[in-house]
Amino acid sequence: MSAIVAHWFRIPFWQRVMGAFVLGALAGWAFGPAAETWFGPLGDLYVTLIKMIAVPLVFFAVINAVSSLHGQQSIAALGGRTFLWFAITAVLAVGIGLAVGTVLQPGVLQMPLSVDPDYVPKDVPSVVQVLLGVVPSNVFHALTGIGEAKNAAGETVLKAGKGSILPVIFVAALIGFAMVKLGDKVALARKLAGEASEIAIQITRFVLEMTPLGTFGLIAALVGNYGFEQLLPLGSFVLALYLACTLHIVFTYGGLLLAHGLNPLKFFRGAAAGMQVAFVSSSSFASLPSSLRCVTHNLGVDKDYAAFAVPLGASIKMDGCGAIYPALCAVFISQYMGVPMSPEQYLIVLIASVLGSFGTAGVPGTAVVMATVVLTAAGLPLQVIGYLYAIDRVLDMMRTMTNVTGQMLVPVLVAKETGLLDRATYDAASTNVGIEEAA
């Protein structure tokens, strides 16, 4: 048995995940809808495990990072560079989404579409509501993902699953700044936070070893549920989204890496594990432990800076959901309705996509919320969101992988610019992009 386990761990991590992906697809095809009953719980367990470790990982990592970054680099300067690259890559993503939609014309269909009956329009919060939501009224509720909701009687009640990672970052940063201010008085607390961060990282390694099993369950359930009859009517839109995201990842991200003197192949090799987790889980939050691990362990970004930048990116860096998807939705609905978009509408889509992703940071259902924001700003009908809702899970896989790839790219670029990148680690990106510590 020990020999089998040893052989399993000698297989490169990405190959284990890819093999599980193929087997999951075959199982889903063979079992059909029953695949969700048989294999779906494996995927659900995996996603629950990585969500379980995400909050403590971010909480202790940010505390440790803020107290450690003090005196090394200005946190404000690093944050400014990070936000700038978030915005630049978002603008480029919108441009690619609009261009691909214009060329492929996914909205030119020969059949009428109907709104999916399960689609429920999203309420878009104001920017003020989003900003106020960053500050939790109860620290423990923020850490446990508990928020407020209205019941049928209109009463305010507590509800699980209403939280966001932004309040966690806020509280952790506040504690870190307090430690800096108190200095040697809290040296023991600072040391304890660092040790707690190491414990969370080690647990993350354990959890991420479940990725192949989780991938098998998630893909089997997905393939079993989605038949070709659901995908064919909107196949052109699926193709357009996947192509736009691929172009953005390969040419935009690859080009920026080349401009910074970095080998793109090394980046994609080191980021592969995070990209795979993002694709199968369709969740930036669930991918956070893996992407943080890739950025530091595989790509050589300073751990303290990465602990700040990667969780922030998981909340506001959404090139797939917040830029490419809304842009394609706008082009799609204009083509479907037979009403060409004006130059002013193109400009509005660009501005709303970039600013909207910051303004809706941490809001659940980012893709639907962002599409609602952009289409409303451009004066376009919202029913396109309902048309696409039936295939949203298939779209979300590629959108999320694009999001997470960008969330890993920006810290690498900023680290290269500020001397926080270990070039030897980056250049030595091994074929095993898994989670084991180097011997």
Side-chain angles (χ1 to χ4, degrees):
M1 179 62 72
S2 60
I4 295 176
V5 173
H7 177 72
W8 169 256
F9 285 113
R10 280 198 296 269
I11 300 174
F13 184 76
W14 71 269
Q15 291 182 12
R16 285 182 263 157
V17 175
M18 188 60 65
F21 185 98
V22 173
L23 291 176
L26 292 174
W29 173 77
F31 283 78
E36 183 173 22
T37 302
W38 285 99
F39 308 117
L42 294 175
D44 294 339
L45 173 63
Y46 170 67
V47 173
T48 302
L49 283 170
I50 50 182
K51 286 184 177 180
M52 171 197 74
I53 191 57
V55 169
L57 176 67
V58 170
F59 181 68
F60 290 114
V62 171
I63 292 176
N64 191 46
V66 171
S67 58
S68 299
L69 279 174
H70 181 73
Q72 296 181 27
Q73 291 272 359
S74 167
I75 296 177
L78 287 173
R81 284 177 179 267
T82 304
F83 271 99
L84 178 62
W85 280 114
F86 283 173
I88 290 173
T89 49
V91 170
L92 296 172
V94 174
I96 288 177
L98 292 172
V100 170
T102 301
V103 172
L104 293 189
Q105 298 188 322
V108 179
L109 303 174
Q110 303 300 320
M111 62 188 75
L113 299 175
S114 59
V115 175
D116 188 271
D118 293 330
Y119 168 66
V120 178
K122 289 275 188 180
D123 293 326
V124 180
S126 67
V127 174
V128 174
Q129 288 175 311
V130 172
L131 292 176
L132 290 177
V134 173
V135 183
S137 58
N138 187 305
V139 172
F140 298 102
H141 288 173
L143 296 178
T144 54
I146 295 176
E148 294 182 348
K150 296 285 186 180
N151 63 13
E155 301 168 330
T156 300
V157 296
L158 296 179
K159 183 177 180 181
K162 299 291 288 184
S164 162
I165 199 67
L166 286 179
V168 177
I169 297 174
F170 176 82
V171 172
L174 201 59
I175 294 173
F177 281 121
M179 287 182 174
V180 170
K181 182 67 175 178
L182 293 171
D184 291 338
K185 293 179 182 179
V186 292
L188 184 60
R190 188 182 294 110
K191 179 182 178 183
L192 182 62
E195 291 172 348
S197 179
E198 288 299 322
I199 292 172
I201 291 171
Q202 183 58 58
I203 296 174
T204 299
R205 296 181 193 128
F206 294 152
V207 170
L208 291 182
E209 288 293 357
M210 293 281 292
T211 299
L213 187 62
T215 297
F216 174 80
L218 289 167
I219 296 302
L222 178 71
V223 173
N225 273 335
Y226 280 85
F228 284 108
E229 65 277 2
Q230 281 187 283
L231 297 178
L232 283 178
L234 291 166
S236 57
F237 187 91
V238 175
L239 175 62
L241 179 80
Y242 273 63
L243 177 60
C245 289
T246 301
L247 292 174
H248 186 58
I249 290 172
V250 174
F251 292 103
T252 302
Y253 294 164
L256 289 173
L257 288 164
L258 286 173
H260 282 74
L262 297 173
N263 186 334
L265 294 180
K266 300 288 187 182
F267 171 81
F268 292 121
R269 203 174 189 182
M275 295 170 69
Q276 288 173 322
V277 172
F279 188 79
V280 299
S281 69
S282 298
S283 171
S284 292
F285 180 71
S287 306
L288 183 53
S290 177
S291 56
L292 182 58
R293 177 73 174 151
C294 286
V295 167
T296 56
H297 181 262
N298 297 343
L299 298 173
V301 176
D302 178 81
K303 290 184 178 180
D304 294 325
Y305 168 59
F308 154 76
V310 177
L312 183 64
S315 294
I316 66 176
K317 177 62 181 157
M318 304 287 176
D319 284 355
C321 292
I324 293 174
Y325 178 68
L328 274 175
C329 283
V331 175
F332 176 86
I333 194 62
S334 69
Q335 293 170 351
Y336 182 68
M337 302 294 290
V339 180
M341 289 172 59
S342 65
E344 292 80 8
Q345 284 178 310
Y346 278 106
L347 181 61
I348 290 172
V349 168
L350 175 65
I351 296 172
S353 295
V354 176
L355 298 182
S357 61
F358 296 145
T360 58
V363 177
T366 302
V368 175
V369 170
M370 279 301 304
T372 302
V373 169
V374 171
L375 294 177
T376 301
L380 295 168
L382 296 179
Q383 58 260 45
V384 62
I385 306 171
Y387 297 153
L388 299 171
Y389 193 76
I391 59 168
D392 192 68
R393 180 67 173 83
V394 174
L395 300 174
D396 206 25
M397 296 169 74
M398 192 63 178
R399 290 188 313 227
T400 305
M401 189 177 79
T402 306
N403 293 345
V404 171
T405 307
Q407 292 159 17
M408 292 186 285
L409 171 85
V410 170
V412 171
L413 299 182
V414 175
K416 176 63 168 59
E417 294 172 348
T418 56
L420 295 176
L421 183 71
D422 184 336
R423 189 61 184 265
T425 300
Y426 182 93
D427 289 336
S430 64
T431 55
N432 189 351
V433 292
I435 58 176
E436 299 80 3
E437 288 283 10

